[in-house]
Amino acid sequence: MKQIYSNIIQFRGTHYDFGLMQGKNLKNSYLIKNREKQWRVRKPRFIIDEKEAKDAITRFSPAIWEELIGLGDALEWSMERVLKEFGGYRLDYVRSGCSIVTGDDFFIRNYDYHPKTYEGRFVFFQPTDGGYAFVGPSQRVVGRTDGINEHGLVVGYNFMHRKKPGDGFICAMIARLVLEGCANVKEAVKMLNDIPHRHSFSYIVYDGSGETFIVEASPRGIEVRQSNACTNHFDIMKQENRNYLVDSYRRKEIIDQYANKSDAYATYQLLNDMDKGVFSTQYKSWAGTIHTTAYFPNDMNVWITLGGNQQPTVFDFGQWLKGKQVEITNINGQVDTDLPFVHMNENVTWYRNN
């Protein structure tokens, strides 16, 4: 077992100042140093056009562009480099897993991915220059893996495939745009229909109304359905599915059979307990469970666990919105892997197995 942690980051202010603060904190971090080394052996398969990226981002959130400027100023990077690392537009995304289930006022999610990509940042942000406040784990610094905003809107996503990518946003930036720009599931579904998609993912949105919408999205089309569980296959756009889906269907069947719609803790255990069949230890295959999160739109509580067989760390997001700071600085957990984490270890590159 590897002991791991996520840093808790709290900020209230403008997007530019948020970017500046993050950039200063990241400047000499393992995360930045390792990303630099990773690019030496992993050449980008995309071209960054600054004007194109700016037009795409500012169409949905001019303020996030200011955050990118702040990051660049603090890190002393060109905008081209900032966009390559954090811009979330026309970037590549590798495979992953993930499982999501909703019930009576809860949204629970397993985030399954590779330790070499996990940033270990759990971020509270309350902007003063536009956009909704939200909390959630970060991905590519500006993006989010999942989260809840001040209106109780929750979003998460599940990987489908990365074949035939289009000119659009990657999943983490899409989640950020939804959290910051939408107040409810109807607005979220509309944005997910409007936004250009780089890869194929399912986006699951949920709010205090109790409605769950799953938006099956690819560069070639969008379909919307309602269900309270989602893994890693499309139900409508089946032509977009990967050939091997045995594990995705297996996890979906377990959730359908055993998830308790009225008992959040029991459902949380279903996803987080390592012997229930949903939690994954396939870290070397880019599909190991790193965190389990739960979001509660009506009482505005948030749970998060790092690794399996853990008790959740609980946050009162409602109180944070009223100005009460979170007093702890880290979330701690343990993961059943010997792989290094990009925010905790030196020399975390793609050509090494340890």
Side-chain angles (χ1 to χ4, degrees):
M1 287 286 186
K2 181 185 290 291
Q3 301 297 316
I4 69 166
Y5 64 86
S6 279
N7 294 314
I8 296 172
I9 298 162
Q10 305 176 70
F11 192 82
R12 308 174 199 268
T14 69
H15 283 75
Y16 174 82
D17 287 341
F18 185 39
L20 200 67
M21 179 275 287
Q22 293 178 98
K24 289 177 179 177
N25 289 344
L26 290 167
K27 193 165 188 178
N28 296 308
S29 67
Y30 286 140
L31 176 61
I32 294 299
K33 292 176 181 178
N34 285 324
R35 290 286 292 172
E36 289 173 346
K37 293 174 182 177
Q38 288 170 358
W39 281 122
R40 293 174 192 167
V41 296
R42 187 168 175 252
K43 300 301 181 184
R45 292 180 293 176
F46 53 86
I47 297 172
I48 295 292
D49 182 304
E50 183 176 332
K51 183 181 184 305
E52 179 187 0
K54 181 178 181 180
D55 289 346
I57 292 168
T58 56
R59 175 188 166 197
F60 295 95
S61 177
I64 289 179
W65 185 258
E66 295 299 313
E67 183 177 329
L68 293 167
I69 294 173
L71 278 162
D73 287 350
L75 291 166
E76 300 178 271
W77 286 2
S78 68
M79 181 52 75
E80 180 181 2
R81 186 174 179 188
V82 171
L83 290 170
K84 184 176 79 170
E85 294 287 357
F86 311 132
Y89 183 75
R90 294 193 67 181
L91 303 179
D92 281 334
Y93 192 90
V94 293
R95 63 188 181 275
S96 63
C98 303
S99 304
I100 291 174
V101 58
T102 63
D104 295 337
D105 189 42
F106 66 78
F107 176 112
I108 299 175
R109 192 228 186 156
N110 274 1
Y111 179 69
D112 302 349
Y113 208 14
H114 197 293
K116 290 184 180 182
T117 70
Y118 198 72
E119 296 181 348
R121 303 170 73 248
F122 190 70
V123 186
F124 294 78
F125 178 41
Q126 190 170 44
T128 58
D129 57 344
Y132 301 130
F134 59 92
V135 60
S138 78
Q139 177 69 350
R140 292 184 184 260
V141 175
V142 175
R144 297 295 179 266
T145 65
D146 45 77
I148 185 171
N149 72 13
E150 64 183 86
H151 292 286
L153 175 68
V154 187
V155 64
Y157 50 78
N158 290 351
F159 174 75
M160 298 300 136
H161 69 77
R162 59 191 180 112
K163 298 180 294 184
K164 299 178 182 178
D167 293 340
F169 292 99
I170 64 169
C171 52
M173 181 60 89
I174 291 172
R176 168 73 184 273
L177 291 168
V178 168
L179 286 169
E180 195 158 312
C182 302
N184 53 55
V185 289
K186 298 297 195 304
E187 292 181 9
V189 169
K190 183 180 186 305
M191 178 180 280
L192 289 165
N193 269 279
D194 292 343
I195 205 164
H197 294 267
R198 174 74 170 165
H199 299 113
S200 297
F201 279 78
S202 284
Y203 295 87
I204 300 85
V205 292
Y206 179 78
D207 65 16
S209 70
E211 287 191 297
T212 307
F213 287 90
I214 298 174
V215 179
E216 300 183 359
S218 86
R220 290 158 293 282
I222 304 286
E223 293 288 348
V224 182
R225 60 189 176 90
Q226 288 191 274
S227 175
N228 75 322
C230 182
T231 51
N232 301 105
H233 58 273
F234 287 148
D235 279 6
I236 299 176
M237 296 197 300
K238 293 183 178 180
Q239 73 278 5
E240 290 277 356
N241 282 334
R242 290 169 288 160
N243 291 327
Y244 183 79
L245 293 169
V246 172
D247 187 66
S248 180
Y249 285 117
R250 181 190 62 80
R251 282 180 283 121
K252 177 64 163 51
E253 288 174 3
I254 292 171
I255 291 170
D256 287 343
Q257 184 173 356
Y258 295 108
N260 189 328
K261 186 178 180 182
S262 61
D263 190 332
Y265 185 70
T267 303
Y268 197 85
Q269 288 181 305
L270 176 66
L271 269 66
N272 187 250
D273 285 2
M274 297 175 69
D275 62 353
K276 296 290 196 303
V278 181
F279 189 98
S280 171
T281 57
Q282 301 301 310
Y283 297 100
K284 291 183 179 180
S285 299
W286 296 80
T289 303
I290 299 177
H291 75 234
T292 304
T293 44
Y295 300 98
F296 301 86
N298 286 307
D299 64 16
M300 298 297 277
N301 281 342
V302 177
W303 300 353
I304 181 169
T305 291
L306 299 177
N309 296 340
Q310 305 282 308
Q311 291 298 309
T313 301
V314 179
F315 299 96
D316 189 331
F317 183 47
Q319 287 299 309
W320 189 87
L321 290 170
K322 296 175 182 178
K324 183 178 181 180
Q325 290 289 94
V326 171
E327 295 181 357
I328 63 173
T329 58
N330 294 307
I331 302 161
N332 298 301
Q334 55 183 14
V335 176
D336 187 15
T337 182
D338 58 359
L339 292 169
F341 279 74
V342 72
H343 69 297
M344 292 175 48
N345 304 103
E346 291 184 280
N347 300 315
V348 181
T349 58
W350 301 116
Y351 57 87
R352 296 180 60 178
N353 292 324
N354 53 47

